[in-house]
Amino acid sequence: MIMQREVLTVQPDDLLVEAGKLMWESKIGSLPVVDAEGHLVGIITEADFIAIALQLLGSEIKKSDVEELARAPRKARAAVM
């Protein structure tokens, strides 16, 4: 009865900035990533955005690399920090 029935999701090819806007406007802390068939392939969390922000603020990373960095597995991002 308390479970959310209509879950907001994004697809792997959706822009990271759009996912962030959706999370911000909906006041949610995580967002499932689903493929075209609706199968879960990942999840974007607030922590992912914090990791990206820290890398951008504390390093020489180029803005053009942000999308690629954000799509990298969490372990790969941690290795860059």
Side-chain angles (χ1 to χ4, degrees):
M1 290 182 60
I2 62 171
M3 184 178 79
Q4 181 76 21
R5 294 185 189 274
E6 293 186 29
V7 178
L8 297 173
T9 64
V10 292
Q11 293 190 336
D13 293 333
D14 290 345
L15 295 176
L16 184 60
V17 68
E18 294 303 322
K21 286 180 186 178
L22 181 60
M23 289 174 67
W24 180 261
E25 292 168 358
S26 302
K27 297 180 180 16
I28 56 175
S30 60
L31 193 59
V33 181
V34 298
D35 63 17
E37 290 80 37
H39 298 116
L40 183 67
V41 295
I43 190 163
I44 299 172
T45 67
E46 292 172 326
D48 294 320
F49 283 99
I50 292 170
I52 291 167
L54 289 172
Q55 288 179 3
L56 289 172
L57 293 170
S59 70
E60 298 296 319
I61 194 167
K62 298 175 191 151
K63 289 182 182 180
S64 61
D65 294 335
V66 172
E67 287 287 332
E68 182 179 341
L69 176 66
R71 292 183 193 276
R74 188 176 300 228
K75 289 181 183 178
R77 286 197 308 264
V80 175
M81 290 182 69

